[in-house]
Amino acid sequence: MMTIVETTQKPRRFYQMMAWVFVAVAFGGFIPTYWLKLMDGSFAGKPILHIHGFLLFAWVLFYAVQVNFVANRKMADHRSWGIAGVSLFTALAISIVLAAINTIKQGELTGFATQAASFSIVTFSGIAIITAFITLAIMNVHRPEWHSRLMSLSFVPLLEAPMARPFAVLMTPPGAVGPPPVFVTLPPSLVIDLLLIAFLIYDRRVLGRFHPVTVWGAVAIIAVQILCVPISTHPAWIATAKAIAGLAS
């Protein structure tokens, strides 16, 4: 009986812990570039950035609450609020796209149109893979071992942005202007990829093997992170990014 209880409780404890790690990264990563600037009145971003920030923090907290419902065996609440979660994520995804378009537009105004379009591959590829994970999670809602892993994996690319903010503050040369080259996203991506290692270790300890969702999800995330670098400078991508931004004109 003790073995059954431990087998049942370990996933709940693990996903609870990971959910609060996500919250800590999401809030903590934006301290130097958002929270502190809000406090001293120096944040000069457009309103869409505030909306995007609110939706991002709401989504991460929502996930933590959902995981807590499961941990406390409140599955009816988990399912009921899951419907609202679809709407919340949809709003977040739209805000991410609009924020990326805003960045490209700002680049055009400041003479960095090509650099902004190039760097937008990070945002657009990120929301694409996040949406893919969440769509697959919804499709596998009746397979808990798949659903939980897919939902957790969706936060790895989402948290690359807050993880990158402290790196940007520490590594950006004084006087630097304009969007950076995409390869600067690789160091913070490597740090956030430690979450993938945590998922793999968890699989090994609980299942005695690596779950295919974790393995192939990790491969997809790392592949996107690496491929963004060469794709970002390709003329076809820059033209595509500018065309997407042009839809907002």
Side-chain angles (χ1 to χ4, degrees), residues 19-180:
W20 290 111
V21 169
F22 298 161
V23 171
V25 173
F27 279 81
F30 283 109
I31 287 175
T33 60
Y34 186 72
W35 297 117
L36 290 179
K37 288 182 178 293
L38 278 183
M39 292 173 63
D40 64 19
S42 63
F43 186 79
K46 298 288 185 179
I48 183 58
L49 300 182
H50 294 290
I51 295 171
H52 165 60
F54 171 79
L55 291 170
L56 171 64
F57 301 137
W59 175 246
V60 180
L61 286 171
F62 177 84
Y63 176 75
V65 171
Q66 282 288 77
V67 170
N68 194 62
F69 281 146
V70 175
N72 291 296
R73 297 184 175 86
K74 296 181 178 180
M75 297 308 298
D77 292 331
H78 178 77
R79 295 189 186 96
S80 297
W81 281 102
I83 298 173
V86 174
S87 298
L88 177 57
F89 174 73
T90 301
L92 172 61
I94 293 171
S95 77
I96 290 174
V97 172
L98 292 178
I101 290 174
N102 172 72
T103 300
I104 297 172
K105 291 293 186 182
Q106 289 297 113
E108 292 174 350
L109 294 175
T110 55
F112 295 98
T114 298
Q115 293 92 324
S118 175
F119 195 81
S120 68
I121 186 69
V122 177
T123 303
F124 287 120
S125 65
I127 190 56
I129 193 170
I130 293 166
T131 301
F133 279 132
I134 292 178
T135 300
L136 289 171
I138 293 171
M139 292 171 61
N140 288 278
V141 69
H142 298 300
R143 302 169 74 179
E145 74 282 2
W146 283 58
H147 178 78
S148 56
R149 284 172 174 81
L150 287 163
M151 287 301 302
S152 293
L153 286 169
S154 74
F155 280 86
V156 177
L158 184 68
L159 296 176
E160 288 176 17
M163 181 58 70
R165 294 309 189 271
F167 279 81
V169 172
L170 295 173
M171 298 176 64
T172 301
V177 293

Side-chain angles (χ1 to χ4, degrees), residues 220-245:
I221 290 170
I222 294 171
V224 169
Q225 291 169 346
I226 295 173
L227 290 173
C228 276
V229 176
I231 294 175
S232 67
T233 57
H234 197 283
W237 167 251
I238 293 173
T240 300
K242 289 181 177 180
I244 293 173

